Amino acid sequence: HAKNNFLYFLCIIQKFLNTKRGKYSMTTKDKNIFDSVLYSYSADTNQINEDNRILKETINKLNEEVNMLKTPPLMVAEVRNVFGKEAIIRLPNGNQFYVTISTECKKLRPGDVVLTDQKNLTIIKKIPITRKFDIESFVIVEKPNVSWEDIGGLDIPVREIKEVVELPLKKPEMFRKVGITPPKGILLYGTPGTGKTLLAKAVASSTNSTFIQIVASELVQKFIGEGAKLVKEIFELARKKAPSIIFIDEIDALAAKRIEMGTSGEREVSRTFMQLLAEIDGFNPLDNVKVIGATNRKDILDPAVIRPGRLDRLIHIPLPKIEGRLDILKIHSRNMGLSADVDLNNMAFLMEDLCGAEIKAVCTEAGYFAIRENRTKVIKKDFLKGIDKVKQEEQTEGQDYMRMFG
């Protein structure tokens, strides 16, 4: 049909050329065919132009990507010293070079992180990274949902922690009026499972301060001096975001007693530990920075870290007594469906020598025994089986050495 219209269109043009100018008058049919052919060609032309524009933009983007792939990567280095238009830089592998500074890079200072060319190591650009380590990852952004009401059987340790951590942050003028300085830090020690880390989580959720959580083994780095630098940057971050709390879990991995002879790794741990002591001594007691350490091996800690003036408030987290066991049992069983024959006082009495974590395990095991029998209510027999299972696992764990050595 379109081909016939086009041929008819040519015939109209031919008639117009054969007649005298202005003498030819088109019929309605001729006019409609003439308009339709012109419109179709103009529409096709616009579509072709649009496709051509899209193809050009695609080619330009592909050329930009190809050029980016061809660009050689730059090296990251640290500025050690600046001498006019030259500088001494240090590469990540430890080598140092005396290089020139590009005219586009201005206001360099020692300690800045820069990008250098791979061939001649010319400083090209300064990047806004002043720390070698990602210490921001240690900051807990979302506060734990653990409150003081979720901790049972630890009334005295909770009161002491509040006195050391919360009072200096909330009422520093009271300490000035009395004329005493609050402790810089506290050490939570006790057997595993008694709630040391849980107390630290409650501190984080109860205060509006920045909470920085570290495991002591993370501070031990491979190369000499990197662990000490990491400790320094963490304390700088704590001062910057004050009021803040630094929680060091398993501190015995870093603060164990130092020995005279040791391997190079042990000496690096000692250097990192000495930097930690220097940082604790470096800030004022009312500087809104508190340090909390946690360990279950207080006997192997170096005396330097627990002397007065450092982690000088030592808080022992003991095994809960019967009142404490009852409080812990109520906390962990408050969402459970208990039958009428379950006497929590009796259950707490039977859980003698169990820590808080083991009491929680008893509640979990009791729930599993109910699920196995397709029940939604937990009965007394389930708790008794859970207590026997947890105590049996504890006894088996304590007798492993007998099977090993006889």
Side-chain angles (χ1 to χ4, degrees):
H1 183 70
K3 184 177 180 181
N4 293 333
N5 285 341
F6 182 71
L7 294 175
Y8 195 80
F9 173 77
L10 294 179
C11 292
I12 294 171
I13 298 297
Q14 187 65 35
K15 289 178 181 179
F16 180 78
L17 294 176
N18 292 335
T19 60
K20 293 182 178 180
R21 187 173 183 181
K23 297 294 183 178
Y24 177 73
S25 60
M26 289 187 293
T27 63
T28 304
K29 180 182 177 182
D30 296 342
K31 189 171 185 294
N32 292 336
I33 294 175
F34 188 84
D35 292 338
S36 64
V37 172
L38 287 179
Y39 176 77
S40 63
Y41 272 93
S42 60
D44 292 343
T45 305
N46 293 333
Q47 183 64 35
I48 292 173
N49 292 333
E50 182 67 19
D51 294 342
N52 190 23
R53 185 185 62 81
I54 294 174
L55 290 174
K56 286 183 178 179
E57 291 180 356
T58 305
I59 291 173
N60 291 333
K61 290 182 179 180
L62 292 175
N63 288 331
E64 291 178 359
E65 292 184 3
V66 170
N67 293 331
M68 289 176 59
L69 293 174
K70 290 181 178 179
T71 303
L74 302 177
M75 295 185 66
V76 180
E78 181 183 359
V79 178
R80 307 295 290 182
N81 287 302
V82 180
F83 307 99
K85 295 183 179 181
E86 283 99 14
I88 296 177
I89 62 172
R90 182 178 183 271
L91 299 181
N93 59 8
N95 295 333
Q96 297 188 17
F97 295 92
Y98 189 81
V99 299
T100 58
I101 303 175
S102 174
T103 55
E104 298 179 357
C105 189
K106 299 178 181 179
K107 295 182 180 180
L108 283 181
R109 294 182 299 176
D112 290 341
V113 180
V114 295
L115 298 177
T116 64
D117 185 74
Q118 281 198 7
K119 293 183 178 180
N120 51 21
L121 296 180
T122 300
I123 298 176
I124 297 175
K125 183 181 179 182
K126 175 183 174 181
I127 54 178
I129 298 177
T130 58
R131 297 185 179 94
K132 183 177 180 180
F133 304 97
D134 185 17
I135 58 175
E136 297 286 346
S137 61
F138 295 118
V139 179
I140 295 181
V141 179
E142 296 182 1
K143 298 294 182 67
N145 55 356
V146 178
S147 62
W148 296 116
E149 289 75 17
D150 296 330
I151 300 175
L154 298 175
D155 296 335
I156 296 177
V158 167
R159 187 193 67 214
E160 293 185 352
I161 290 174
K162 288 182 177 180
E163 291 175 353
V164 175
V165 178
E166 290 188 355
L167 276 181
L169 295 177
K170 294 180 179 180
K171 300 179 180 179
E173 68 282 352
M174 184 177 293
F175 287 89
R176 295 191 181 94
K177 291 179 181 179
V178 176
I180 63 172
T181 57
K184 293 181 179 180
I186 59 178
L187 177 68
L188 307 176
Y189 68 96
T191 55
T194 50
K196 299 181 291 296
T197 307
L198 194 66
L199 286 170
K201 291 181 179 180
V203 172
S205 60
S206 64
T207 60
N208 293 324
S209 56
T210 304
F211 194 79
I212 302 174
Q213 183 178 5
I214 314 164
V215 179
S217 58
E218 294 177 331
L219 301 176
V220 181
Q221 300 293 315
K222 179 179 180 180
F223 297 104
I224 295 175
E226 288 191 351
K229 189 173 182 181
L230 177 58
V231 172
K232 183 179 179 181
E233 290 184 359
I234 289 174
F235 276 84
E236 286 179 355
L237 177 67
R239 295 188 190 97
K240 181 180 177 181
K241 294 184 176 291
S244 58
I245 299 170
I246 301 176
F247 174 59
I248 306 176
D249 202 3
E250 306 296 343
I251 196 173
D252 52 280
L254 177 67
K257 292 180 181 178
R258 290 167 286 184
I259 57 178
E260 295 182 0
M261 299 298 293
T263 62
S264 60
E266 292 173 344
R267 289 194 293 271
E268 175 59 21
V269 173
S270 297
R271 295 187 192 98
T272 306
F273 175 51
M274 286 186 282
Q275 181 66 34
L276 175 65
L277 298 180
E279 292 295 335
I280 295 177
D281 289 336
F283 54 83
N284 298 324
L286 293 175
D287 202 19
N288 289 339
V289 177
K290 298 297 176 184
V291 181
I292 302 177
T295 181
N296 49 28
R297 292 298 306 275
K298 177 179 172 291
D299 55 315
I300 66 172
L301 290 181
D302 196 289
V305 75
I306 56 176
R307 71 159 176 81
R310 286 171 180 158
L311 301 183
D312 42 7
R313 178 65 69 91
L314 308 180
I315 301 177
H316 179 233
I317 312 298
L319 287 174
K321 298 181 180 179
I322 184 169
E323 297 85 1
R325 295 197 296 271
L326 180 59
D327 293 339
I328 297 172
L329 188 57
K330 288 180 179 178
I331 291 171
H332 292 304
S333 63
R334 60 190 174 190
N335 295 325
M336 299 174 63
L338 303 180
S339 63
D341 63 340
V342 177
D343 185 5
L344 294 182
N345 291 297
N346 187 25
M347 295 297 107
F349 178 77
L350 296 176
M351 294 180 186
E352 189 176 1
D353 296 332
L354 295 185
C355 64
E358 291 170 334
I359 295 175
K360 182 180 179 181
V362 169
C363 295
T364 304
E365 292 297 333
Y368 269 111
F369 283 120
I371 291 174
R372 287 171 187 170
E373 297 182 6
N374 200 19
R375 286 186 281 106
T376 57
K377 292 283 186 178
V378 180
I379 61 177
K380 180 180 178 180
K381 183 177 67 174
D382 298 331
F383 272 100
L384 295 177
K385 288 182 180 179
I387 294 172
D388 293 339
K389 183 175 182 180
V390 172
K391 285 188 175 182
Q392 185 178 2
E393 290 177 355
E394 185 181 4
Q395 293 175 358
T396 304
E397 182 180 355
Q399 295 177 356
D400 286 343
Y401 70 96
M402 293 293 292
R403 292 193 298 270
M404 185 178 296
F405 300 105

